[in-house]
Amino acid sequence: MKRVHIDFAPPSMQRTLHRAGPGTWAVAVLGLALCAAAATLGWRLVAQQRADTEQLNAARLRSRAPVVVAPVAQGPRISEAQAAGVNAAVMQLNLPWRALYDAIAAATPPAIGMLALEPDARKRSLKITAEAKSSDAMIEYVELLKREELFAGVTLIRHEINEQDPNKPIRFQLEAEWVAP
């Protein structure tokens, strides 16, 4: 026999909630959670839109505002000679010393004694004063320097034999033009 439920109570919200099953409650809770998440996301998007609008308005105001350029303070003037001296000093400081030293060290054999290096930044040249035991060693050294990639040209400027020294070394001077490293 089948059970018959007899309920004489009038329809109401309380009666509907009392008769709702667990599945109905789960769907209701899930629906409320989705509504809360949507409301939170909507609120964040509205706040972001307001912030973007404020930034856009501020940018528009800045673009309309006249640009004020502060006057440049006039310091003490320097003469042309002083400027040339400062520029020459800066050029000397900006010499590629490491590259020049490495190229010369790589090309200098033990038979050559280095005496002086005199760079000229304006001409991009380097005067090398050295001594060799023989003229063959001197010529070989010039050829070794010519093979270095850093130097565009190497020229023997002068040479002389030191008669006062018992070994009679050849003192010579080269000019090497370097390329930008």
Coordinates of all heavy atoms in Angstrom, one line a residue, residues 104-105 108-109 111-117 126-131 141 145 172 174:
I104 N 100.4 45.1 -28.3 CA 101.8 45.2 -28.3 C 102.5 44.1 -27.5 O 103.5 43.5 -28.0 CB 102.2 46.6 -27.6 CG1 101.8 47.7 -28.6 CG2 103.7 46.7 -27.3 CD1 101.9 49.1 -28.0
A105 N 101.9 43.6 -26.4 CA 102.5 42.5 -25.7 C 102.5 41.2 -26.5 O 103.4 40.5 -26.4 CB 101.7 42.3 -24.4
T108 N 105.4 41.5 -29.2 CA 106.8 41.9 -28.8 C 107.5 40.6 -28.4 O 107.2 39.9 -27.4 CB 106.8 42.8 -27.6 OG1 106.0 44.0 -28.0 CG2 108.2 43.2 -27.2
P109 N 108.6 40.2 -29.1 CA 109.4 39.1 -28.8 C 110.3 39.4 -27.7 O 110.6 40.6 -27.4 CB 110.1 38.7 -30.1 CG 110.1 40.0 -30.8 CD 108.9 40.8 -30.4
A111 N 113.5 39.4 -27.7 CA 114.7 40.1 -28.2 C 114.5 41.7 -28.3 O 115.4 42.4 -28.6 CB 115.1 39.6 -29.6
I112 N 113.3 42.1 -28.0 CA 113.0 43.6 -28.1 C 112.8 44.1 -26.7 O 112.0 43.5 -25.9 CB 111.7 43.8 -29.0 CG1 111.8 43.2 -30.4 CG2 111.3 45.3 -29.0 CD1 112.9 43.9 -31.2
G113 N 113.4 45.2 -26.4 CA 113.2 45.9 -25.2 C 112.4 47.2 -25.4 O 112.8 48.1 -26.1
M114 N 111.3 47.3 -24.7 CA 110.4 48.5 -24.9 C 111.0 49.6 -24.0 O 111.3 49.4 -22.8 CB 109.0 48.1 -24.4 CG 108.3 47.1 -25.2 SD 108.0 47.6 -26.9 CE 107.1 49.0 -26.7
L115 N 111.0 50.8 -24.5 CA 111.5 51.9 -23.8 C 110.4 53.0 -23.5 O 110.4 53.5 -22.4 CB 112.7 52.6 -24.6 CG 113.9 51.7 -24.8 CD1 114.9 52.5 -25.7 CD2 114.5 51.3 -23.5
A116 N 109.6 53.2 -24.5 CA 108.5 54.2 -24.3 C 107.4 54.0 -25.3 O 107.5 53.5 -26.4 CB 109.1 55.6 -24.6
L117 N 106.2 54.4 -24.8 CA 104.9 54.4 -25.6 C 104.3 55.8 -25.4 O 104.1 56.2 -24.3 CB 103.9 53.4 -25.0 CG 104.3 51.9 -25.1 CD1 103.3 51.1 -24.4 CD2 104.5 51.4 -26.5
L126 N 100.3 55.8 -32.1 CA 101.1 55.4 -31.0 C 102.6 55.4 -31.4 O 102.9 54.7 -32.3 CB 100.7 54.1 -30.4 CG 101.4 53.5 -29.3 CD1 101.1 54.3 -28.0 CD2 101.0 52.0 -29.0
K127 N 103.4 56.2 -30.7 CA 104.9 56.1 -31.0 C 105.5 55.1 -30.0 O 105.3 55.2 -28.8 CB 105.5 57.5 -30.8 CG 105.3 58.4 -32.0 CD 106.1 59.7 -31.9 CE 105.8 60.6 -33.1 NZ 106.5 61.8 -33.0
I128 N 106.3 54.2 -30.6 CA 106.9 53.2 -29.8 C 108.4 53.3 -29.9 O 108.9 53.4 -31.0 CB 106.5 51.8 -30.3 CG1 105.0 51.6 -30.2 CG2 107.2 50.7 -29.5 CD1 104.5 50.4 -30.9
T129 N 109.1 53.5 -28.8 CA 110.5 53.5 -28.8 C 111.0 52.2 -28.1 O 110.5 51.9 -27.0 CB 111.0 54.7 -28.0 OG1 110.4 55.9 -28.5 CG2 112.5 54.9 -28.1
A130 N 111.9 51.5 -28.9 CA 112.4 50.2 -28.4 C 113.8 50.0 -28.8 O 114.4 50.8 -29.6 CB 111.5 49.1 -28.9
E131 N 114.4 48.9 -28.3 CA 115.8 48.5 -28.6 C 115.7 47.1 -29.0 O 115.0 46.3 -28.5 CB 116.7 48.7 -27.4 CG 117.2 50.1 -27.2 CD 118.2 50.2 -26.1 OE1 118.5 49.2 -25.5 OE2 118.8 51.3 -26.0
Y141 N 110.1 42.6 -35.7 CA 109.1 43.3 -34.8 C 108.2 44.2 -35.5 O 107.0 44.1 -35.3 CB 109.9 44.1 -33.7 CG 109.0 44.7 -32.7 CD1 108.1 44.0 -31.9 CD2 109.0 46.1 -32.4 CE1 107.3 44.5 -31.0 CE2 108.2 46.7 -31.5 CZ 107.3 45.9 -30.8 OH 106.5 46.5 -29.9
L145 N 104.1 43.6 -35.7 CA 103.1 44.7 -35.3 C 102.1 44.9 -36.5 O 100.9 45.2 -36.3 CB 103.8 46.0 -34.9 CG 104.4 46.0 -33.5 CD1 105.1 47.3 -33.3 CD2 103.3 45.9 -32.5
F172 N 115.3 52.2 -32.0 CA 114.4 52.6 -33.1 C 113.1 53.1 -32.6 O 112.7 52.9 -31.4 CB 114.2 51.4 -34.1 CG 113.6 50.2 -33.4 CD1 112.2 50.0 -33.5 CD2 114.3 49.3 -32.8 CE1 111.6 48.9 -33.0 CE2 113.8 48.1 -32.2 CZ 112.4 47.9 -32.3
L174 N 108.9 53.6 -33.8 CA 107.9 53.2 -34.7 C 106.7 54.1 -34.5 O 106.5 54.7 -33.4 CB 107.4 51.8 -34.5 CG 108.4 50.7 -34.5 CD1 107.8 49.4 -34.0 CD2 109.0 50.5 -35.9

